[in-house]
Amino acid sequence: MTAARLALRHGLACNTAGGSHHAGPMGGAGFCVFNDVGVAARALIDNGEVGQVLVVDLDVHQGDGTAFIFEHEPRVFTFSMHGEKNFPVRRGPSDLDIDLPDGTGDAAYVARLKDVLPDLLQRVAPDLVFYIAGVDPHESDRLGRLSLSDEGLAERDAYVLETCLAVAPLVGVIGGGYDHDIDRLARRHATLHRASAQAWRRGLARREA
C-alpha cells in the first residue's frame, strides 16, 4: 500500500518483496500467503484513489490468484505472460494471458512483450500500473523452464518501465525466483530496482503536480 501510494505521488516506487500472485480470494497458494497486489489494488479502488488499474505480471508462472480475485472487476485489468508448461495446472481467468514455450530466450520474449504492451496501455488507460517483475524466467532458475539471461531480464524491466511510465505511475514488486545461491538470486531480483533508479534519473516518472 505504501509503495502504491508513493507511486501515485511521485510516479514510481518499488517494494523489495511482494508479487504473491498465487494467493486468491479464498486463501493462500503456491508459496503465497496473501495477494499483496490484489489487496493494494482493491483498497485503492475502494478508497477512490484510482479508477483503473493494470497488472503487468511477468513472473514465469501464471498469475492465477490475481486473475480470480478480479475476475468480475472491470476496473482491474490482469495481464500475465508466463511459461506454457508450468504451475499452476488450473489457470485463472486473466483478461489477457500469453503462454510461452519452454526455452523462450531474450529476443523472442522481449519481442512478444513489445507486440502487446503499448496497445494494452492505450486500451486500458490505467491510473496505476502494478508490475510483477518475477526473475524466474531466468535460464538458471530451478522452476522456470524459460531461458532469459541477466541481460534479458534487465532489458525486459527497462522496457516495461519506459513504456508504462509514459502513460501512468508504476509500482514494482519482485515476484518469483528460485536459486540455491541466495546472493545470486538477490542480485537478480535487484534488476528491477537498478532499472527503476535509471528510469528515475532519466526523469521518466510522471510526478504528481
Side-chain angles (χ1 to χ4, degrees):
M1 285 298 302
T2 299
R5 287 180 170 140
L6 286 171
L8 288 172
R9 185 184 310 160
H10 300 291
L12 173 62
C14 294
N15 196 354
T16 54
S20 300
H21 62 169
H22 295 308
M26 302 305 292
F31 304 150
C32 303
V33 177
F34 61 88
N35 193 310
D36 54 307
V37 168
V39 170
R42 170 56 64 196
L44 292 171
I45 286 173
D46 288 351
N47 293 337
E49 296 174 72
V50 296
Q52 184 69 51
V53 167
L54 171 62
V55 178
V56 176
D57 189 340
L58 299 186
D59 192 278
V60 82
H61 306 106
Q62 197 242 10
D64 58 322
T66 315
F68 282 119
I69 289 170
F70 296 115
E71 180 177 4
H72 303 296
E73 176 52 83
R75 294 171 294 180
V76 179
F77 190 103
T78 53
F79 162 48
S80 178
M81 190 167 84
H82 46 260
E84 180 181 17
K85 298 176 181 178
N86 214 317
F87 180 89
V89 175
R90 182 187 177 214
R91 301 296 173 94
S94 301
D95 293 298
L96 175 62
D97 278 312
I98 295 178
D99 293 323
L100 300 174
D102 287 1
T104 298
D106 294 348
Y109 186 102
V110 173
R112 191 72 182 95
L113 185 59
K114 289 182 176 181
D115 283 342
V116 173
L117 189 57
D119 178 67
L120 187 59
L121 286 161
Q122 184 176 2
R123 287 194 290 119
V124 176
D127 300 313
L128 180 65
V129 175
F130 283 92
Y131 174 38
I132 302 176
V135 299
D136 40 13
H138 194 271
E139 58 192 350
S140 67
D141 194 89
R142 293 190 293 117
L143 303 180
R145 304 174 68 115
L146 299 185
S147 297
L148 270 66
S149 65
D150 290 347
E151 294 76 18
L153 288 174
E155 182 182 2
R156 178 198 70 175
D157 289 355
Y159 174 74
V160 170
L161 288 163
E162 181 174 2
T163 306
C164 290
L165 288 172
V167 175
L170 180 145
V171 54
V173 296
I174 61 173
Y178 308 93
D179 195 311
H180 291 300
D181 187 326
I182 298 302
D183 290 336
R184 183 167 57 194
L185 180 60
R187 287 192 296 272
R188 207 171 290 153
H189 273 308
T191 304
L192 168 65
H193 306 284
R194 290 192 294 268
S196 297
Q198 179 63 23
W200 182 268
R201 287 192 292 268
R202 292 175 59 197
L204 298 183
R206 297 161 59 92
R207 307 184 193 189
E208 191 176 63

